[in-house]
Amino acid sequence: MAAYNASLLRLAREQEGLTQKGLAEKLNVQQAVLSKYENGSIVPPENMQQKIAAALDYPVAFFLQNDGEIPSGLVFHRKRSSLLLSSVRVRIEAEVRARSLDVIKLFRHHDLRSHIIPREGRTPAEMAKAVRAHWQVSPGPIDDLTALLEANGIVVLQFDFQTDKLDGFFMPLPGGIISIALNDNPAFSPDRRRHTLAHECGHALLEHCDDFPDDEREKEAEAFAAELLTPADCIAAELQPPLTLARLRELKSRWKVSMGSLLYRAHSLGTINDSMYRRTWMFLSSLGYRKREPDCGIPDEHPALLTREMSRFVASNPNVLETLCLSASRFHARYPEINWEGQSSMTPTAS
């Protein structure tokens, strides 16, 4: 029989937002006993394994997997996550780590990988240029950033974090898989989510995987995102003054980045001076645009990679729940587009 994976017991508890004390009460055991289950010093007896599975809505087989050690994603978080309660951060990270187990299985099953290149000493801007070339991106705006990342094997796990204090974070998974957790909270605009994707992609591709992201690494990720979304040799000519409100709205619609980002980009590229930069920011602030800009017709982007690959997987696997080690309710919560016969409401495309 497979060994009981104590790390997955803790993950499932955190995913449910339960403290040790809360789960111990549901299981009618002492907290000290549950603590020993979670640190692996004792293995729950079979009847307790059944109770744990029922309480956390996973089959017992989930806790017998050996793929539970997934790196911490929020080590590489955006600064705003420091505003989160620790319990909320733990719950969000556990949810993403649990979903990442599906990602690992799908990538192994379909022999998929993330199509990335090593940094090799490049500056952030040089890396963004190299990535655009590697992914064969045409000059100019990126029409659908989510589709571009997914076409190159970067997974976008998009769901509502139930908070507006965290935009997203990247998760480096085993096998060189890059996954980005993206907050689908309605407080965030489409252009903001695109920026978060580009920023977190920067952290991943600039190999910010070892240490806590200090200010320098945040600046590097921002520089990568700026060059990826608004390459200097394409946009500089479009950022010449006067950058009127009408012009900024037009550019936002075309480039699908915020007016604030365009203004900052113009200043960093030297197309406007300090005085014009400050005056324009003051004007945008007076209109309330620092908090919420007009959407300018930028459409929402929707991840499709996981749904497509899961549809293929389910259609060819008669024992999908057993293979994925999921309950039916968890499967349907994660993949509502896929019915039990393995047919998706989305039309699968060739991968």
Side-chain angles (χ1 to χ4, degrees), residues 4 6 9-10 13 19-21 23-25 27-45 47-49 51-52:
Y4 199 81
L9 169 55
R10 178 176 178 176
R13 172 180 62 76
T19 62
Q20 271 193 353
K21 180 180 178 181
L23 180 56
E25 289 175 351
L27 297 174
N28 197 26
V29 298
Q30 294 181 352
Q31 182 178 345
V33 173
L34 179 60
S35 178
K36 291 180 179 179
Y37 293 162
E38 288 194 359
N39 66 31
S41 59
I42 60 174
V43 175
N47 67 324
M48 182 54 65
Q49 291 183 26
K51 291 181 69 174
I52 290 170

Side-chain angles (χ1 to χ4, degrees), residues 5-230:
N5 191 329
S7 69
L8 289 179
L9 169 55
R10 178 176 178 176
L11 183 151
R13 172 180 62 76
E14 292 175 343
Q15 186 184 9
E16 287 296 286
L18 290 169
T19 62
Q20 271 193 353
K21 180 180 178 181
L23 180 56
E25 289 175 351
K26 292 185 70 170
L27 297 174
N28 197 26
V29 298
Q30 294 181 352
Q31 182 178 345
V33 173
L34 179 60
S35 178
K36 291 180 179 179
Y37 293 162
E38 288 194 359
N39 66 31
S41 59
I42 60 174
V43 175
E46 288 189 16
N47 67 324
M48 182 54 65
Q49 291 183 26
Q50 294 286 349
K51 291 181 69 174
I52 290 170
L56 298 176
D57 192 24
Y58 276 109
V60 171
F62 174 83
F63 304 96
L64 303 179
Q65 301 175 94
N66 59 10
D67 278 335
E69 297 301 327
I70 297 174
S72 171
L74 281 176
V75 167
F76 319 110
H77 69 284
R78 299 281 297 274
K79 286 183 178 179
R80 293 179 70 256
S81 71
S82 63
L83 302 175
L84 283 174
L85 292 173
S86 60
S87 59
V88 176
R89 294 178 60 190
V90 166
R91 174 184 57 76
I92 293 169
E93 183 175 15
E95 180 66 37
V96 173
R97 294 173 75 184
R99 292 178 184 231
S100 295
L101 293 173
D102 295 355
V103 173
I104 293 168
K105 291 184 178 75
L106 286 177
F107 268 56
R108 286 176 178 169
H109 181 80
H110 295 304
D111 194 24
L112 303 175
R113 61 187 179 86
S114 297
H115 301 291
I116 59 177
I117 55 176
R119 181 173 183 176
E120 295 181 338
R122 297 182 178 95
T123 67
E126 290 169 344
M127 187 62 179
K129 290 178 183 177
V131 168
R132 284 181 69 113
H134 181 65
W135 290 346
Q136 300 180 343
V137 180
S138 300
I142 296 172
D143 184 55
D144 189 328
L145 181 61
T146 302
L148 174 65
L149 296 185
E150 292 195 322
N152 289 282
I154 295 178
V155 179
V156 179
L157 294 171
Q158 184 168 318
F159 63 95
D160 190 345
F161 292 4
Q162 302 297 315
T163 177
D164 63 358
K165 299 297 190 295
L166 177 63
D167 295 73
F169 54 96
F170 85 96
M171 186 81 80
L173 302 179
I177 305 168
I178 299 299
S179 177
I180 299 175
L182 185 65
N183 192 349
D184 198 28
N185 192 281
F188 299 143
S189 60
D191 58 274
R192 179 164 174 161
R193 282 194 286 271
R194 278 170 58 94
H195 181 83
T196 297
L197 274 179
H199 181 101
E200 297 305 327
C201 185
H203 275 311
L205 299 187
L206 293 171
E207 302 170 358
H208 294 171
C209 298
D210 299 325
D211 302 308
F212 192 86
D214 55 18
D215 287 344
E216 184 60 33
R217 292 192 173 200
E218 286 294 307
K219 289 177 182 177
E220 284 198 339
E222 283 294 290
F224 175 94
E227 183 63 29
L228 182 69
L229 293 173
T230 54

